[in-house]
Amino acid sequence: MLLSHDDRDPVRPSAMLETFPIVKNTYRDYFKVTGENKAAELLRYGKSKPGCISLAQGEGTLPTPEFICRAVNKALEDGKTFYSFGAGHPDLRQEISTYYARIYGVSVPTNRITVTSSGTNAVHLALMSILEDGDEVVAVTPIWKNLIGITELAGGSIKEFSMEEKDGAWTLNLEDLFAVCSAKTKAIMIVTPNNPTGWTMTGADIEKLTEFARLRGIWVIADEVYGRCTHKCARAASFLDYAREDDRLFVINSFSKTWAMTGWRLGWLVMPADAEGKIRDLILYENMGAPTFTQCGAIEALRHGEDFLEFQKKLWAENLDLLLQRLPRLKGVSMSVPPAAFYAFFHVDGCEDSYAMTREMIDEVGLSLCPGAAFGKGLKSYLRLCFAVSPEILTAALDRFEEFLSRR
Ligand SMILES: Cc1ncc(COP(=O)(O)O)c(C=O)c1O
């Protein structure tokens, strides 16, 4: 029964509820673990300071290669400005399938591939399609903070499971991971190769995790955005190497890192075949799909992007060498060598609050890095530096970091 304005009784909460339903899911309700995005605020702060070197964000300084941009110019000239297909243009879906066959040696039919408006969007779609309010998602940390935020936005409840750094390497204890999964666990979220550590899961561990999840009916959300950003091999092991078609698996990928296309907001999702309809519907409600003309550029990236990727990998490798020559020499700084991605994630002895240290560094020496605490619990003494920049910028940044530490 709805009450009229006049006979409302403020002392009867149930009546109040009928008249004025309490609005759940406000901003504050969502982000229980993520909290306010202090790292993003610091990133903006660093960028607002004239002369500050910002290596806080996960993107390089190289622009998208010309041959990719040219395809988009042509698409625009050809009038490809209309709505696209919700799940992506069939030619791009086919090209992604061809790419998996060529580079990964795996067969992924087009009905298991959806083009998305970024890797970030792909994660959100995957989670929205499986989560009920309050479902538990076990997130292997350190993890790119936004994945925690996206999970909470999709109604999930995060349980963090931390990797350990020991003897110069990040390690995942699978048995312990399995032990924290309960009947309430709907999904395990894992980033391999990892942002921020560069840690990369072995094929054997991927196989074990896949079997465990299959047995327990748990979803795996595998973020493989850095799958080609490897320093010693052509690609990282993928969940697609071990999964069956009907496994409860979503694999997230993106054009952002591999082909320097961060601003394009283009990615893709590999899903079980029976998820296609649901994901397509979600896309129609979220944004009606990725832009039409940018998908033409994405096809070129997949077809002809290997040389550019090699060029980037050479740059990352040189920069990693530079970092490994300089960082470990600094007193109190230690870092595991990352086998992939383009981040140095290092520990600074005596750092009790990486957010505060980040702000001080911006103010004192004009260098902006990303606070380690943003990547999960127990990481307050870490900082992340993105080294996908020119060696000159990296050298200047390391000079500033050294200067900052010498003042402590
Ligand atoms: C692990 C991981 N996944 C996804 C993304 C975002 O990719 P996209 O630019 O396609 O949204 C990032 C960006 O830093 C990332 O580190």
Side-chain angles (χ1 to χ4, degrees):
M1 178 192 67
L2 280 176
L3 300 172
S4 73
H5 178 75
D6 290 328
D7 57 10
R8 250 185 288 140
D9 178 358
V11 294
R12 286 169 52 217
S14 57
M16 284 294 286
L17 255 180
E18 269 188 88
T19 324
F20 300 115
I22 290 169
V23 180
K24 282 204 306 186
N25 295 338
T26 60
Y27 174 85
R28 297 250 169 251
D29 289 334
Y30 281 137
F31 301 110
K32 291 199 173 65
V33 175
T34 329
E36 282 169 52
N37 200 333
K38 285 198 279 178
E41 191 199 321
L42 283 166
L43 175 75
R44 287 190 292 272
Y45 181 60
K47 284 189 169 175
S48 75
K49 291 257 170 177
C52 181
I53 298 176
S54 179
L55 303 185
Q57 200 161 20
E59 77 178 342
T61 43
L62 289 176
T64 307
E66 206 200 325
F67 74 92
I68 300 177
C69 298
R70 229 183 292 129
V72 176
N73 291 339
K74 171 143 186 358
L76 284 169
E77 279 162 19
D78 292 348
K80 295 196 174 155
T81 56
F82 297 94
Y83 285 129
S84 184
F85 299 77
H89 195 286
D91 290 353
L92 179 52
R93 295 174 84 186
Q94 178 56 56
E95 203 58 49
I96 295 169
S97 174
T98 305
Y99 172 79
Y100 272 123
R102 192 176 76 244
I103 304 291
Y104 285 72
V106 295
S107 163
V108 187
T110 52
N111 65 331
R112 292 187 55 210
I113 296 167
T114 300
V115 178
T116 59
S117 301
S118 75
T120 307
N121 175 234
V123 181
H124 190 231
L125 291 166
L127 290 170
M128 287 293 284
S129 75
I130 58 169
L131 292 184
E132 307 278 343
D133 257 359
D135 273 349
E136 182 180 281
V137 176
V138 173
V140 177
T141 64
I143 195 167
W144 182 50
K145 178 195 177 75
N146 293 27
L147 298 180
I148 307 269
I150 297 166
T151 306
E152 296 193 315
L153 192 61
S157 150
I158 285 282
K159 190 194 255 184
E160 290 188 31
F161 177 81
S162 316
M163 287 194 276
E164 274 181 291
E165 189 178 31
K166 49 178 188 199
D167 305 327
W170 286 91
T171 52
L172 171 67
N173 186 323
L174 270 188
E175 292 311 317
D176 288 352
L177 171 64
F178 297 162
V180 302
C181 293
S182 68
K184 285 193 288 180
T185 306
K186 186 69 160 276
I188 296 172
M189 181 182 273
I190 191 151
V191 180
T192 174
N194 183 263
N195 173 6
T197 62
W199 166 85
T200 303
M201 203 169 183
T202 62
D205 277 359
I206 290 179
E207 189 169 21
K208 280 188 208 144
L209 177 49
T210 302
E211 275 165 12
F212 169 80
R214 188 181 292 143
L215 206 68
R216 294 279 291 268
I218 294 174
W219 285 87
V220 174
I221 314 289
D223 182 328
E224 300 188 356
V225 160
Y226 298 94
R228 300 295 313 283
C229 308
T230 43
H231 303 311
K232 295 259 156 48
C233 53
R235 68 159 176 102
S238 165
F239 277 79
L240 295 171
D241 294 324
Y242 300 94
R244 296 185 197 143
E245 278 217 345
D246 58 348
D247 275 337
R248 295 185 163 192
L249 168 71
F250 283 108
V251 175
I252 285 56
N253 217 318
S254 168
F255 292 88
S256 287
K257 320 286 174 175
T258 319
W259 297 286
M261 292 168 70
T262 46
W264 293 55
R265 316 310 304 128
L266 214 49
W268 74 84
L269 182 64
V270 179
M271 60 204 169
D274 63 3
E276 188 189 13
K278 205 167 176 183
I279 294 289
R280 186 191 283 123
D281 279 352
L282 281 168
I283 288 175
L284 291 179
Y285 301 137
E286 282 209 343
N287 69 347
M288 305 263 285
T292 306
F293 44 90
T294 55
Q295 294 185 54
C296 299
I299 290 174
E300 286 305 301
L302 292 165
R303 269 189 201 155
H304 304 297
E306 289 301 307
D307 287 350
F308 176 72
L309 176 59
E310 275 314 306
F311 175 75
Q312 286 203 103
K313 284 173 76 158
K314 216 163 142 271
L315 173 75
W316 300 334
E318 279 167 21
N319 284 347
L320 182 56
D321 278 351
L322 184 64
L323 271 162
L324 293 175
Q325 279 162 31
R326 291 194 55 178
L327 269 186
R329 287 212 318 256
L330 301 178
K331 194 160 165 277
V333 176
S334 56
M335 166 185 142
S336 298
V337 180
F342 37 71
Y343 304 109
F345 194 60
F346 51 89
H347 187 274
V348 183
D349 287 354
C351 172
E352 286 301 317
D353 179 352
S354 54
Y355 289 111
M357 183 173 265
T358 299
R359 185 172 281 274
E360 286 159 18
M361 207 183 307
I362 294 170
D363 287 337
E364 289 180 29
V365 297
L367 175 64
S368 172
L369 301 182
C370 190
F375 298 95
K377 289 194 194 109
L379 300 166
K380 66 178 189 327
S381 306
Y382 285 83
L383 294 170
R384 189 197 73 175
L385 174 154
C386 171
F387 61 81
V389 294
S390 71
E392 291 75 27
I393 294 178
L394 183 60
T395 302
L398 288 169
D399 290 346
R400 291 186 190 191
F401 183 55
E402 210 168 324
E403 159 73 17
F404 176 75
L405 287 186
S406 72
R407 297 180 184 192
R408 295 319 63 212

